[in-house]
Amino acid sequence: MTDLDSYSRQLAGFRASDEAREQLVSELIEKFKHLSEEHAILQNDYSSERDIRRNYQRAVDDQKQAVSDYERQLEASSFVLALIDGDGAIFQDALLQAAGGDGGSEAASRLHHAIRSHVASLHSNSGSWPVMVQVYLSLDKLAMKLAQVGLLRNPSELRSFAQRFCVNQPLFSIIDVGQGKERADHKIKEMLRTFSDNPTCRHIIFGGCHDAGYLLNLEQFKHNELKAAQITLLETTPAYRGFVDLPAHFKRARFDDVFRPQPLPESTPTTYAPNPNVFAPVAVAPPPPAQSPSLFRATTNPSPRPSVTTPSLNTPPSSVTGGSSESNGDSSWATVGKTGTAPNGNISIAPSTKKAKKKYAYYNKEEQRLDEPLPPRDNAAAKSLDERMMRTGKKMCNHWHLGGHCENGKFCQFQHEPKLSAAELNALRYKTRSLACKNRYCQNIDCYLGHQCALERDYGKCPYPDSCHLRSTHGMDKVKYVRYDKDDNPEYS
């Protein structure tokens, strides 16, 4: 029995050992299974990471190649741009006066060399950058001025100069903007705005420091050192004070071997004294210029046109100005028309001493047209005007009564006759001022349409914000910044 119990105990031990071994093996198998699954997951993750890294590296390499290609293309297409206001930046006298317009070719060569040298001092890799020069000017107007001051023998010489200038360098252009104020300014400002953000335009030579109207366009670069460093202010004539006050980030240059360092001289009118044997030029001293209002400062000072009297061939010099105590030397065309001669026997072509009020067109800093207040409106005249239109069923022809000319003539559907009185004309101006001119930057000094809301201008607020014909001008800057006379001469406030 003892042996049997011993065997039973041993068998139970063996069974417990087998169960422990089986449990251990089962646990090992289960752990192996989990480890195998984790290994498979990690292997997949590794493969994904490897593919991602390889794709990333490939993308990085592609981007590096693209950047390298872009830099090569940028360098290959980089250029230097010179924007020059040719109405104020005048080429050297010797260049303008060279025979056959050859001075234009020499001017282009000098300007090209000067720009290259200046840009090379700022950018070490600028040797391959082409230079584009655009000179904007009113060709005919400048030609007449240069001829008046004796720098050209004939106004047509400037056109030959411009042609030779453009031929010398393939990227050099003299662009005729035609007659009209601010035309060159508008083009230069838009070119500056466009190319200042163009990465291929590596540097801009700005030749307009004689005109304060450009200052507002350079304000945006004052606090951007990188952008300002890409602009060189080219000073020809003495720079307007505002340009001198700009930060040192802007580069500065002078090309005195290309441009005149002084403004053009004022021309002195001359008259020719008729003589049976010789025609000798006689200089006529112009009267002192009228003082400009304190609000504006003229940038130019053209001499007023003098009164010129043509003497009779048989009249002694002392009587050239004519006049006795009775006529006071004020013979008019009315007198000449009746008698054929003035009271003293001479024909006077002197203009009337009564001078018409000088006209101006006013603009704010944004170059938007501003309107001057009209004289007070006469209520009786306004009523008369309205009754006349109601009676005839036709409105007044603004072109005829205010502009002085109507192209439609007798076929016009609006009223031409009878003429309006001065008070009625003023009442008609009030009506036309309520109609908006299509051009916020209108350059027609005689434009009779409205350019700003008179109610907002005079009273600070328009009571018709939704129906006002000039509601687009509500909130505009009403401060007068510059004004122009009929000859496009600017005066700044």
Side-chain angles (χ1 to χ4, degrees):
M1 291 297 292
T2 302
D3 293 337
L4 184 59
D5 292 337
S6 176
Y7 292 148
S8 296
R9 287 193 297 271
Q10 289 182 15
L11 178 59
F14 289 152
R15 286 176 177 172
S17 177
D18 289 341
E19 289 176 0
R21 183 174 58 250
E22 184 179 355
Q23 185 178 0
L24 176 62
V25 172
S26 297
E27 290 177 358
L28 291 174
I29 292 173
E30 190 67 26
K31 288 183 178 180
F32 178 76
K33 181 181 178 181
H34 286 301
L35 290 173
S36 296
E37 291 176 354
E38 290 180 2
H39 176 267
I41 292 173
L42 291 174
Q43 189 176 27
N44 290 335
D45 290 345
Y46 169 76
S47 298
S48 298
E49 290 294 332
R50 180 188 61 191
D51 293 341
I52 291 174
R53 183 184 61 80
R54 288 178 179 176
N55 291 336
Y56 173 77
Q57 188 62 45
R58 189 180 300 113
V60 170
D61 292 340
D62 291 343
Q63 290 295 326
K64 287 182 178 179
Q65 183 63 38
V67 170
S68 179
D69 293 342
Y70 173 78
E71 288 178 345
R72 284 196 296 270
Q73 293 174 3
L74 180 63
E75 188 64 26
S77 58
S78 294
F79 65 96
V80 177
L81 175 65
L83 300 173
I84 299 174
D85 187 339
D87 289 329
I90 310 298
F91 289 98
Q92 280 283 358
D93 297 0
L95 298 174
L96 292 171
Q97 295 172 341
D102 286 340
S105 179
E106 176 66 19
S109 297
R110 290 188 187 182
L111 183 56
H112 184 266
H113 176 73
I115 293 176
R116 277 245 180 256
S117 299
H118 174 71
V119 175
S121 67
L122 304 175
H123 305 275
S124 58
N125 58 337
S126 63
S128 61
W129 298 348
V131 177
M132 180 186 299
V133 173
Q134 295 189 347
V135 182
Y136 295 91
L137 51 78
S138 176
L139 194 66
D140 293 336
K141 186 176 180 180
L142 180 61
M144 292 297 295
K145 176 65 175 178
L146 293 174
Q148 288 175 2
V149 300
L151 293 180
L152 294 179
R153 292 179 294 274
N154 189 296
S156 62
E157 293 178 352
L158 186 60
R159 191 167 296 275
S160 299
F161 177 95
Q163 291 171 348
R164 296 294 184 91
F165 180 89
C166 298
V167 168
N168 181 276
Q169 296 292 329
L171 296 179
F172 279 31
S173 301
I174 290 182
I175 301 170
D176 181 13
V177 298
Q179 296 288 345
K181 63 177 178 296
E182 298 294 307
R183 290 192 177 184
D185 299 41
H186 284 306
K187 288 186 174 292
I188 291 176
K189 290 172 183 177
E190 184 62 20
M191 291 291 287
L192 179 64
R193 184 194 66 80
T194 300
F195 283 97
S196 61
D197 292 326
N198 188 330
T200 61
C201 183
R202 306 299 289 273
H203 203 83
I204 296 178
I205 309 292
F206 177 76
C209 296
H210 56 276
D211 188 344
Y214 294 114
L215 278 173
L216 190 63
N217 300 86
L218 295 174
E219 285 286 328
Q220 57 183 311
F221 307 118
K222 284 177 61 174
H223 306 293
N224 189 331
E225 185 173 350
L226 292 177
K227 282 288 186 70
Q230 295 176 354
I231 299 176
T232 290
L233 303 177
L234 174 61
E235 299 179 6
T236 53
T237 55
Y240 187 77
R241 179 178 177 180
F243 292 97
V244 178
D245 295 337
L246 287 174
H249 307 321
F250 291 93
K251 308 302 178 184
R252 302 175 189 274
R254 294 189 64 90
F255 301 156
D256 287 339
D257 61 335
V258 181
F259 298 102
R260 286 175 55 94
Q262 307 90 14
L264 288 174
E266 296 295 339
S267 56
T268 301
T270 59
T271 184
Y272 292 87
N275 186 290
N277 302 317
V278 63
F279 289 85
V282 179
V284 179
Q291 295 295 323
S292 298
S294 59
L295 177 62
F296 292 93
R297 185 187 62 80
T299 57
T300 58
N301 186 24
S303 301
R305 188 182 302 277
S307 299
V308 180
T309 303
T310 304
S312 169
L313 296 181
N314 299 320
T315 304
S318 61
S319 64
V320 167
T321 57
S324 62
S325 59
E326 298 178 359
S327 66
N328 295 324
D330 194 22
S331 301
S332 65
W333 276 107
T335 305
V336 174
K338 293 178 181 178
T339 64
T341 60
N344 62 352
N346 300 326
I347 298 177
S348 172
I349 60 172
S352 171
T353 56
K354 183 179 180 181
K355 295 182 179 179
K357 183 179 179 181
K358 192 171 184 179
K359 291 184 179 180
Y360 293 97
Y362 293 84
Y363 299 84
N364 60 20
K365 275 194 174 184
E366 298 296 328
E367 300 174 2
Q368 296 167 330
R369 179 76 174 264
L370 301 175
D371 292 328
E372 281 282 83
L374 293 171
R377 177 169 43 189
D378 182 81
N379 292 332
K383 182 178 179 180
S384 171
L385 189 67
D386 291 338
E387 290 176 348
R388 173 173 162 177
M389 289 189 291
M390 291 180 63
R391 184 172 60 255
T392 60
K394 291 184 178 181
K395 295 182 179 180
M396 296 294 114
C397 177
N398 297 329
H399 296 301
W400 176 259
H401 293 287
L402 300 180
H405 175 72
C406 177
E407 294 181 353
N408 296 323
K410 64 180 181 179
F411 300 104
C412 181
Q413 58 181 328
F414 301 108
Q415 292 191 54
H416 282 196
E417 299 295 340
K419 292 184 178 181
L420 301 178
S421 66
E424 290 174 330
L425 282 174
N426 190 49
L428 182 60
R429 289 191 181 93
Y430 269 90
K431 289 183 176 294
T432 56
R433 277 283 184 90
S434 67
L435 303 175
C437 178
K438 295 181 179 179
N439 187 1
R440 292 284 297 277
Y441 310 94
C442 178
Q443 299 177 358
N444 180 6
I445 196 171
D446 294 315
C447 182
Y448 42 76
L449 296 174
H451 305 93
Q452 67 178 130
C453 175
L455 292 173
E456 187 194 45
R457 178 197 63 207
D458 298 336
Y459 302 104
K461 184 178 180 180
C462 176
Y464 314 105
D466 299 324
S467 58
C468 176
H469 291 301
L470 291 152
R471 58 185 177 274
S472 62
T473 70
H474 291 172
M476 71 183 291
D477 181 8
K478 296 182 283 293
V479 178
K480 296 174 182 176
Y481 177 67
V482 62
R483 68 181 184 181
Y484 290 85
D485 61 18
K486 64 181 180 63
D487 296 320
D488 299 334
N489 297 314
E491 296 181 10
Y492 292 90
S493 62

